[in-house]
Amino acid sequence: EDPSLVHPDNTGYPTLDGVPVFETGDGLCSHFWNWDDVILMNCEGSYEILRRWLIRDMCEPIQFGVNPVEYYQSVKVIDNMPPQFEGCPTETIVGLADIDCATDLLLNDFFPTITDVCGSVKDTLISVVPGTVMERPSASGQYFLTNMAPGIHTVKITVKDQCSNTNRCTFDILIEDTSAPQVICEQDLHVALNNIGVAEVPAEVLDDGSYDNCTGIGFEIFRMTDGCDIPSDMEPGTHVTFCCDDVSD
């Protein structure tokens, strides 16, 4: 705060017939003047100065309400600047899901610095969608993001100062599933050829309970050698073909 900003040099002086009071003291008779201030408080960072001016004609007798005359001036100092964020993430933050297909993150690890120029921060509201915000322990200022499954999660930090000015920091967190599915294969599979000596085996036939903690799974199959002269069987696909050349001696 700069006190000179609310001084009459900046806020203005009363005038008599268009002449500022500080220029009226000319000759034997002159006008004496002064002011006093009463501070009326509002929210933190905002207030009103109720400035009372007294102007007296020294050549005339004192007469209540006439000499001196009394004027009031209102000077309002209003905080309309919201809290500021420093270090609000501008890029997506990447986290890794654990074996249970979720993770908890400590938000304080990438929490921006919050300042308020004119007052102080009154409320801080935090949300994550999807997910849950928990303060542990209560009133500790340590915020955890829980139930963070793989995918994009949007974090919003909204702050309000004592004068109800608000600001918001918004950023995304990407939780990645880096755990491969658990593969369980059928170990003893018998394939019967048809009357023309071939058989198509779907990929699902080789599954014996494979699973993934995070998502559903799909199945593809391919051959290590092209025993039936079908090049497509060497690439992952929905099925492979067996033929007479695969029959064991």
Side-chain angles (χ1 to χ4, degrees), residues 32-73:
F32 284 15
W33 54 272
N34 207 339
W35 76 89
D36 60 71
D37 291 340
V38 175
I39 306 299
L40 305 179
M41 304 306 297
N42 190 248
C43 54
E44 182 182 359
S46 295
Y47 57 93
E48 180 181 15
I49 299 173
L50 192 60
R51 180 165 292 163
R52 185 183 65 154
W53 291 90
L54 288 175
I55 304 171
R56 168 162 156 67
D57 184 350
M58 297 297 292
C59 296
E60 298 293 335
I62 294 175
Q63 184 178 354
F64 182 77
V66 177
N67 189 29
V69 293
E70 185 175 305
Y71 296 99
Y72 283 90
Q73 179 186 24

Side-chain angles (χ1 to χ4, degrees), residues 224-239:
M224 304 296 292
T225 59
D226 186 12
C228 298
D229 195 25
I230 302 177
S232 61
D233 279 355
M234 302 293 291
E235 299 294 332
T238 59
H239 66 275

Side-chain angles (χ1 to χ4, degrees), residues 6 10 61 72 75-76 88 95 100 109 144 163 166 180 196 217 231 247:
V6 296
N10 280 306
Y72 283 90
V75 180
K76 294 179 180 179
C88 181
D100 295 322
D109 288 341
F144 290 85
C163 293
T166 62
I196 62 173
I217 56 177
V247 178

